[in-house]
Amino acid sequence: MRYRFIGCLLCLFCNFAAAGWTGVSVTLGESTSDWQFGGEKREARSGWIALQIEEKSASELRIGASIGHSTLRVAASSPLNTQKFDTQFVGVYLRQPIRLSDHISLEGLFSYHYNSGRNNDEMNSFEVDWSETRLQLGLSARFANIRITPFVAYNHVDGDIDSSAGIEIFELDEPQSSGIRFDYLLEPSAFVRFEFQSGANEGGFLSFVRQY
């Protein structure tokens, strides 16, 4: 079932790529989250790279898709039990910007990502799968070629780690997060983005974006 679902999202991504897309970006990032395994809290740290494309509708709604690769490290009480994975992810999102004035705008975002991977230890094989859902609201202000966007978000994670010893189910320890984005506009349709988050996901992101 999981592979059928990944295949459907990959087909959706390919359809976006074949369409007349209006935006593309490449993002590098690192983040840390606390995952709750029953009564035990473990730190999950990941580093990733993603390609994202989007299409703009007549109502200014942006419909996007993303695909990427990440490395994941799930800590344990004993360093010997720390789990490391190579994972892939695909996702879709809806983004609605609302211009309030020439320099101020409001933006809502809904996104869904599916992640799947396994470790490289042939002696102890583990597989990890999880989904991430995010609702985000931000307020942007532009000054010359700098755009600043503070935002708040609600995050939901649902996943499991499967091994010969059994299945461990996990979720986010804290769903709320907040952060701030800085966009440096190189030209009207291209910019570099720096983003910092705290709360459910703590980390930093660097994006190179082109929009048409």
Side-chain angles (χ1 to χ4, degrees):
M1 180 67 181
R2 71 181 59 162
Y3 301 109
R4 198 176 295 173
F5 181 71
I6 292 176
C8 290
L9 283 179
L10 286 174
C11 288
L12 177 62
F13 184 87
C14 291
N15 288 337
F16 270 109
W21 43 266
T22 56
V24 62
S25 66
V26 175
T27 300
L28 304 170
E30 289 189 357
S31 64
T32 302
S33 301
D34 287 330
W35 287 353
Q36 191 69 236
F37 290 78
E40 181 185 11
K41 184 167 66 175
R42 304 182 198 171
E43 181 186 80
R45 181 183 298 270
S46 63
W48 44 269
I49 181 170
L51 171 66
Q52 185 169 278
I53 57 177
E54 69 176 33
E55 175 70 13
K56 182 172 66 173
S57 70
S59 64
E60 297 298 314
L61 175 68
R62 270 67 166 184
I63 306 169
S66 61
I67 188 169
H69 173 82
S70 67
T71 57
L72 171 68
R73 178 184 180 274
V74 182
S77 55
S78 170
L80 295 177
N81 295 326
T82 295
Q83 298 162 327
K84 298 179 181 179
F85 303 90
D86 285 322
T87 68
Q88 295 76 42
F89 60 88
V90 289
V92 292
Y93 69 89
L94 299 174
R95 183 171 67 87
Q96 180 66 65
I98 302 173
R99 178 171 290 185
L100 303 178
S101 70
D102 289 341
H103 301 284
I104 305 294
S105 62
L106 189 68
E107 181 180 281
L109 172 74
F110 170 80
S111 66
Y112 176 88
H113 287 82
Y114 184 80
N115 308 260
S116 182
R118 63 184 305 159
N119 67 344
N120 293 320
D121 188 350
E122 296 181 357
M123 300 295 295
N124 298 293
S125 179
F126 295 87
E127 293 185 355
V128 61
D129 295 275
W130 77 97
S131 61
E132 298 178 75
T133 306
R134 182 180 180 93
L135 288 171
Q136 181 174 299
L137 184 65
L139 184 66
S140 298
R142 180 174 173 178
F143 308 94
N145 61 340
I146 300 292
R147 183 168 56 231
I148 302 174
T149 308
F151 61 86
V152 293
Y154 177 85
N155 309 269
H156 177 75
V157 169
D158 181 24
D160 63 74
I161 296 177
D162 191 356
S163 69
S164 58
I167 298 178
E168 296 180 287
I169 298 174
F170 61 84
E171 61 183 5
L172 266 180
D173 181 60
E174 178 186 353
Q176 290 82 23
S177 63
S178 60
I180 189 167
R181 293 198 307 258
F182 299 92
D183 296 338
Y184 179 73
L185 283 75
L186 304 173
E187 54 184 81
S189 63
F191 58 89
V192 178
R193 169 170 293 171
F194 302 92
E195 183 172 317
F196 305 94
Q197 293 189 32
S198 61
N201 299 296
E202 296 188 357
F205 311 88
L206 172 64
S207 300
F208 302 91
V209 184
R210 166 75 69 175
Q211 294 178 340
Y212 301 94

